Amino acid sequence: MYDSITADSTNLFKSGLTQIDGKISGELFNLPAGAVGLAVGTEFRRESLDTNPDPIAVQGEFYHQAQLPPGFSNSRRIASIYAESTVPLLKSVEAQLAVRHDHYSDYGNSTTPKVGLKWSVTPAFMVRGTYAEGFRAPTLVENSTDVRNAFVSIRDPFRCNAQYKLGCSTSSPYQSGANPDLKPETAKSYTLGLAWEPSSSFLATVDLWQIKRVNEIGTYDLDKVLSDPGRYAGDPAVAITRADLTAADKAAGAVAGEITNIKMLLTNVAVTQIRGVDLKLTGRINMGEYGTLQPTLNVSHMQSFKNAPSPTDDLIEYAGTRGTPSVQANLGLAWRKAAYALSADTVFVSKMASVADRTPPCMVW
């Protein structure tokens, strides 16, 4: 009898990566301030992923786990070409220029440039800055057919009102997961920094930075979808299925039938904008036959961490809230001599507010 009510579960997953790349570099020509360097390269990749969940799990027959979706096979080809150049504009000013073009067989093309400028004010003091663009392609899971089944607790504000309050809080079948129509996330970043190295035994750097990511992959806020379904009508990433409104419910004041299924797929929706400053101090103390000591201090101050669940929503501040500390630091001391090394580190994390974000106003009692 035991064997008739038990079974072994085996889920098989296989991923593959094939890659070939090449690069050439050298000096193009000379300018009055020095030689112009150039590097160009190309890269070809093939990525693949195959999943084969246990057939019994696909049928939903295992008591201890939710029903699994059928397996899928997904793959893509990526071809990339890039160029990087170093241009000495003046004896003390150098520019770095780069551009990369990627073609993905599943979504299309991305072109990302980068521009950097370095000014050596004195042999010991340097000013630097960069502007760069980037992207993150959807993973082979995110743009597959992998949609999971579950149940979710909801409150249905569209069906319920001041007159009808029966069954407003309930649970519904819920489908979530991959979306083959996903586009890549994109980002723009800016940095501005200083470096001071008065001697070979001390280096200090300070860098200001800002990053903005758009089209981040995620799902819509379910509460907003349920309260304003018309806004998401026709969006392939959202589907709210309802039963017909019965005459009895209509007479009682209901304006819509019960929800019978909710489908919320991944989509390009969120926006994140962060900025901060990093400080790094590195020392080197030569103790002769006793080796060298290297004290280091790294401090990162996140001035702002804002996120919006969609481009039309206001940015919400998270810096300093639960899980997002404003300041993190590491103080370390390392000793080295020949093949021997010993190090110790102290980590500091600033206090965090107990609230999840900075949206709620402060209450004074």
Side-chain angles (χ1 to χ4, degrees):
M1 179 178 179
Y2 176 79
D3 291 339
S4 67
I5 61 173
T6 62
D8 294 328
S9 178
T10 303
N11 300 313
L12 302 177
F13 304 89
K14 181 181 178 180
S15 63
L17 172 65
T18 304
Q19 177 174 315
I20 183 172
D21 58 77
K23 178 181 178 180
I24 58 173
S25 61
E27 296 181 352
L28 283 182
F29 52 85
N30 290 317
L31 292 176
V36 174
L38 178 67
V40 295
T42 187
E43 183 179 290
F44 300 92
R45 301 197 313 273
R46 184 182 185 277
E47 301 172 350
S48 62
L49 177 64
D50 295 280
T51 68
N52 293 283
D54 192 288
I56 301 178
V58 174
Q59 296 171 8
E61 297 296 330
F62 283 123
Y63 175 78
H64 65 286
Q65 71 177 42
Q67 181 181 13
L68 295 181
F72 66 87
S73 179
N74 199 9
S75 65
R76 64 185 173 199
R77 299 175 304 279
I78 304 104
S80 309
I81 186 171
Y82 60 89
E84 303 170 355
S85 180
T86 301
V87 183
L89 303 178
L90 300 170
K91 287 293 184 181
S92 60
V93 180
E94 181 181 88
Q96 296 93 34
L97 308 173
V99 64
R100 181 184 179 99
H101 179 77
D102 295 271
H103 172 74
Y104 281 69
S105 60
D106 51 0
Y107 81 79
N109 304 306
S110 291
T111 300
T112 49
K114 180 180 179 180
V115 179
L117 201 62
K118 181 173 66 176
W119 176 27
S120 299
V121 183
T122 69
F125 185 68
M126 179 181 67
V127 180
R128 59 193 179 190
T130 63
Y131 165 78
E133 296 181 11
F135 74 98
R136 184 184 79 83
T139 68
L140 291 178
V141 175
E142 290 172 335
N143 67 4
S144 69
T145 57
D146 188 51
V147 177
R148 303 290 173 122
N149 297 309
F151 283 86
V152 62
S153 297
I154 60 171
R155 188 183 185 284
D156 190 354
F158 190 69
R159 170 177 166 83
C160 301
N161 49 58
Q163 183 179 354
Y164 187 87
K165 298 181 180 181
L166 182 64
C168 294
S169 296
T170 183
S171 63
S172 168
Y174 182 73
Q175 294 177 299
S176 64
N179 184 349
D181 296 325
L182 287 174
K183 300 299 181 183
E185 301 177 349
T186 60
K188 293 182 179 180
S189 65
Y190 307 83
T191 67
L192 179 63
L194 308 173
W196 181 48
E197 190 174 13
S199 69
S200 60
S201 61
F202 181 74
L203 171 63
T205 62
V206 179
D207 291 284
L208 303 172
W209 48 268
Q210 177 174 297
I211 303 171
K212 183 176 183 179
R213 297 192 300 263
V214 298
N215 285 333
E216 290 182 314
I217 295 172
T219 56
Y220 291 119
D221 185 293
L222 180 56
D223 291 336
K224 292 184 178 181
V225 172
L226 294 176
S227 61
D228 188 11
R231 176 181 173 183
Y232 303 91
D235 192 320
V238 177
I240 306 297
T241 305
R242 293 180 180 272
D244 293 336
L245 178 61
T246 65
D249 286 349
K250 185 176 181 180
V255 296
E258 291 183 307
I259 292 177
T260 57
N261 189 68
I262 297 173
K263 187 176 184 180
M264 298 275 287
L265 303 182
L266 292 172
T267 188
N268 296 100
V269 60
V271 178
T272 297
Q273 182 173 300
I274 58 177
R275 69 173 187 272
V277 57
D278 292 338
L279 169 68
K280 182 177 182 179
L281 304 178
T282 304
R284 186 177 185 276
I285 303 171
N286 190 342
M287 300 188 300
E289 62 178 312
Y290 299 105
T292 60
L293 284 178
Q294 183 174 315
T296 59
L297 175 63
N298 294 286
V299 181
S300 180
H301 173 44
M302 185 181 297
Q303 298 171 305
S304 177
F305 188 112
K306 294 182 178 180
N307 176 269
S310 76
T312 58
D313 290 316
D314 294 333
L315 288 166
I316 300 171
E317 182 63 77
Y318 291 91
T321 62
R322 185 171 58 241
T324 313
S326 295
V327 179
Q328 298 185 71
N330 181 285
L331 177 64
L333 181 64
W335 170 80
R336 290 182 176 84
K337 177 178 171 58
Y340 302 96
L342 183 66
S343 64
D345 294 274
T346 299
V347 177
F348 169 80
V349 179
S350 64
K351 64 180 181 180
M352 293 168 276
S354 60
V355 296
D357 60 63
R358 299 292 189 184
T359 303
C362 294
M363 302 296 292
V364 178
W365 298 94

